[in-house]
Amino acid sequence: MTRAFWLTDQPLSIDETVRHVTRPEAGAVNTFIGTVREFTEGKRTLQLEYQAYIPMAEKKLQQIGEEIQARYGNAEVAICHRLGRLQISDIAVVIAVSTPHRNDAFEASRYAIERIKEIVPIWKKEYWEGGEEWIGDQLETQPYPSGGPGKEDMV
Amino acid sequence: MSKILFFAGLQERLGAEALELQWKGKTIAELRQTLKHEYSLETIDAAMVAINEEFASDTAVVQEDDTVAFIPPVSGG
C-alpha cells in the first residue's frame, strides 16, 4: 500500500483515500472532501493555486493521523492534499477516517480538517476577477488565538 | 551555512525561495530582525518558524546546517 498522507499535483482520488482506511474492524468510514469555492463574501474566484512546504506538510499530516489515533483509539486515517492550479469545484483535500463506531469517525474527520488549517504548511493563492492574493489564516472557525501553533506544537 | 526558506507571500516579496546565511549560534528572533530590516520583509512577524521541519520558537538558536523555514499563516484544506 502507498503512503496514507501525501501531497500531489495530480487530481485526488476519493476511492484511493478510502481504501487506505477500509478494514474489518471498522463499522464507519467518514470522508471529508474540500472543494474550490467560486464565491467568497461576494468575490468571485477564477482559480486557485496551492503551494506547500512539502516534506514538513506530509509530516504534519501524519502527525494529525497520530493525534487522532491518540484521541479516538482505534482509528485509521488517510489524508491527501492537492498542489498547483485548481479550478472551481476541483477537490483540494480528501480526508478519510475509519473507526469501529460512527461517532468517532465524524468527530475525527472534523478534527483533521481543523488541524490542517492550523499546523500544516500549505498556502492558497486566490485568483480573483480583479487580482490575486495569498490567503492567510481562514477565520471561519477558531484558530489558535495567536494565529499560530501553541507551545504544545513545538519540539 | 543555514538555509532559510520562504513561502507564499514572503517568497513573492523576497523574489526568491531561499537564502543562505551564516546564522550558527544566533536566534530566530535576531533572524527576523535582519530579514525585516535588510530584506524588507515587513510581514515576517506574522509568520511561524520551523527548524528542520518542526515548529520552533523565537528563542531557538540556529545550529550549523539547520534549515529554517518561515511559515506565513497557513490556508490549506
Side-chain angles (χ1 to χ4, degrees):
Chain A
M1 186 99 95
T2 52
R3 296 170 305 156
F5 303 91
W6 74 100
L7 304 176
T8 176
D9 58 5
Q10 299 300 309
L12 300 178
S13 163
I14 298 164
D15 284 349
E16 185 187 350
T17 316
V18 167
R19 259 201 306 278
H20 274 281
V21 303
T22 304
R23 58 200 169 108
E25 297 87 349
V29 175
N30 197 87
T31 55
F32 174 85
I33 299 158
T35 57
V36 176
R37 180 177 54 237
E38 183 171 19
F39 285 96
T40 300
E41 290 169 9
K43 245 170 144 180
R44 184 177 198 175
T45 297
L46 301 177
Q47 58 175 349
L48 286 187
E49 180 184 348
Y50 281 102
Q51 182 189 70
Y53 181 14
I54 293 172
M56 181 172 172
E58 289 186 337
K59 274 167 69 171
K60 291 291 151 190
L61 291 178
Q62 183 161 359
Q63 178 187 319
I64 291 169
E66 289 161 4
E67 288 176 5
I68 286 170
Q69 284 171 337
R71 289 169 79 100
Y72 299 96
N74 190 346
E76 286 294 327
V77 185
I79 306 173
C80 55
H81 200 295
R82 182 94 179 262
L83 298 178
R85 293 279 175 107
L86 277 74
Q87 309 301 317
I88 305 303
S89 295
D90 279 354
I91 296 172
V93 62
V94 180
I95 297 165
V97 182
S98 73
T99 57
H101 300 283
R102 66 185 179 282
N103 195 43
D104 282 351
F106 277 119
E107 281 188 18
S109 49
R110 175 74 190 248
Y111 177 86
I113 186 64
E114 301 302 340
R115 217 48 189 132
I116 285 171
K117 290 170 183 292
E118 290 173 342
I119 65 163
V120 181
I122 299 175
W123 300 272
K124 169 170 79 174
K125 188 179 198 177
E126 296 255 12
Y127 291 81
W128 315 102
E129 283 174 321
E132 56 190 59
E133 183 188 359
W134 284 103
I135 305 302
D137 46 341
Q138 302 158 291
L139 301 172
E140 289 175 18
T141 57
Q142 185 58 49
Y144 290 109
S146 63
K151 285 251 186 299
E152 70 278 8
D153 291 316
M154 295 178 188
V155 286
Chain B
M1 294 292 272
S2 305
K3 195 166 193 187
I4 321 292
L5 305 180
F6 301 90
F7 298 94
L10 285 173
Q11 185 181 96
E12 280 186 3
R13 172 83 185 169
L14 182 68
E17 295 178 10
L19 292 174
E20 298 249 345
L21 295 177
Q22 185 55 259
W23 213 258
K24 183 185 172 188
K26 292 194 270 187
T27 65
I28 296 298
E30 293 171 287
L31 181 56
R32 276 190 203 274
Q33 289 305 308
T34 295
L35 292 169
K36 191 151 63 170
H37 297 119
E38 294 179 24
Y39 292 85
S40 302
L41 295 176
E42 288 86 1
T43 60
I44 198 130
D45 284 342
M48 306 176 249
V49 71
I51 299 177
N52 302 331
E53 301 172 9
E54 285 296 343
F55 288 113
S57 72
D58 267 26
T59 56
V61 175
V62 177
Q63 308 297 320
E64 185 77 34
D65 297 328
D66 273 352
T67 296
V68 178
F70 283 92
I71 299 183
V74 301
S75 50

